[in-house]
Amino acid sequence: MTRPPGTGELAARFQSAFGVAPDGVWQAPGRVNLIGEHTDYNEGFVLPFAIDKAARVAVRIRPDSTLRLLSTFGNQGMTTADAAALDRGTARGWTKYPLGVLWALQQRGLPVPGLDILLASDVPRGAGLSSSHAIECAVITALNELTAAGLGVDEMVLATRQAENDFVGAPTGIMDQTASLRGAAGQAVFLDCRDRSFRLVPFDAESAGLVTLVIDTKVSHSHSAGGYAARRASCELGSEVLGVKALRDVELEDLAEAAGLLDDKTFRRVRHVVTENNRVLQILELLGSAGPAAIGPVLDASHASMRDDFEISCAELDLAVRAARSAGALGARMTGGGFGGSAIALTPVAAQRQVRAAVEQAFGAAGFAPPDIFTVRPAAGALRLA
Ligand code: ADP
Ligand code: MG
């Protein structure tokens, strides 16, 4: 995927599309989740990082209430709406993300002016790298500044969640936008989803001679809604039977007893969440004591748990992980909600070539469509570019 146009080029495109210069240009990154899958809605821990792929928006406030939205992606043409008449259920296609953010601001009693918005993004769509939150976080950061709304980051996290949940209709949590808004170069974001407290954690794979490879299987995760809802329901059932507020409150030591109280499937769902929470903490500890090269086995264990206990992997993800590992990756796991999307493979720089080749070769031999393979590194969170 090519870089999005630079600030000057984006401003020039804005000028030619809208006939005026933008008031500014903002950027917010996608994210990859290093570890902590399906732990967020169980009030547990996650450890994502903001990546060096981002959505950029050039924005101008208009004197009226008209909204004009344009993306450099595809040939979709300009969408027009009215800031005074934003309505759930009317927005279509990609504009639901920026419009959802504007709507969420209005729900907070904040005035939303008419706007011209041009979007350019190099976050792959639907690959589990949260291209949707990159858009939302770029837009909310721009609006917060342009309208002097004075929202703190915590409030922006909640507003973008409201946009996704209630306007877009995607039942997502707070991980993606927290990473996109709070990320920093060379750091992962440890987030406690119970109280939203966070801490930046150094994750400097490069200094350790490693790269984080993303293997985008190109398998669409857009049909995962049913599976996602079913997993959430299993987790709710598990916590109800075990008598806890959320699975966050179940300890590793409680699992033996839980096995006797739950049916086999619910038990395996619960075991994934409980062990995954523990793996997030293990990785935190390992990053502090030994550095990135030590976390491989924990990534592998996470993948096995998602494949066997939570059952959210697929043949392409399993193959990507297996091929990467046997060609020299230190550890690999599917990342994101599952049923498709991407895997990550923590790979020594010296083995990068052979890992890429092995995954491509394995996909070809299995008759799968060629994957997209690229590196990501922890990058800055949302910011103003111009
Ligand atoms: P993910 O967030 O995992 O990438 P989603 O389905 O949540 O997947 O969001 C993908 C959607 O975001 C796309 O279908 C599209 O509507 C929108 N989107 C992402 N990038 C762009 C872009 N550059 N231009 C227009 N829309 C985009
Ligand atoms: Mg998304």
Side-chain angles (χ1 to χ4, degrees), residues 43-45 154 174 191-198 248:
E43 301 188 13
F45 309 118
D154 223 30
I174 58 165
L191 173 65
D192 182 336
C193 298
R194 170 159 275 173
D195 63 6
R196 298 197 303 279
S197 61
F198 78 102
R248 148 75 170 274

Side-chain angles (χ1 to χ4, degrees), residues 31 97 125-134 136 164 168 170 172 176 221:
R31 64 97 188 97
Y97 302 100
R125 285 167 299 280
L129 301 179
S130 219
S131 65
S132 62
H133 282 98
E136 289 158 3
E164 281 246 343
V168 175
T172 49
D176 302 353
H221 68 147

Side-chain angles (χ1 to χ4, degrees), residues 158-213:
L158 295 177
T160 48
R161 180 175 69 181
Q162 190 181 19
E164 281 246 343
N165 291 172
D166 299 341
F167 195 90
V168 175
T172 49
I174 58 165
M175 167 167 72
D176 302 353
Q177 60 274 57
T178 300
S180 183
L181 293 166
R182 297 203 184 274
Q187 315 268 331
V189 183
F190 172 65
L191 173 65
D192 182 336
C193 298
R194 170 159 275 173
D195 63 6
R196 298 197 303 279
S197 61
F198 78 102
R199 178 155 67 84
L200 293 178
V201 178
F203 179 67
D204 189 358
E206 269 157 72
S207 298
L210 304 170
V211 290
T212 307
L213 282 180

Side-chain angles (χ1 to χ4, degrees), residues 82-120:
D82 186 345
L86 288 177
D87 189 16
R88 285 187 278 188
T90 54
R92 297 276 172 273
W94 74 275
T95 60
K96 6 181 232 248
Y97 302 100
L99 294 177
V101 167
L102 304 181
W103 175 84
L105 293 174
Q106 289 176 339
Q107 298 305 300
R108 284 169 167 65
L110 296 165
V112 172
L115 299 161
D116 290 332
I117 299 179
L118 174 63
L119 163 73

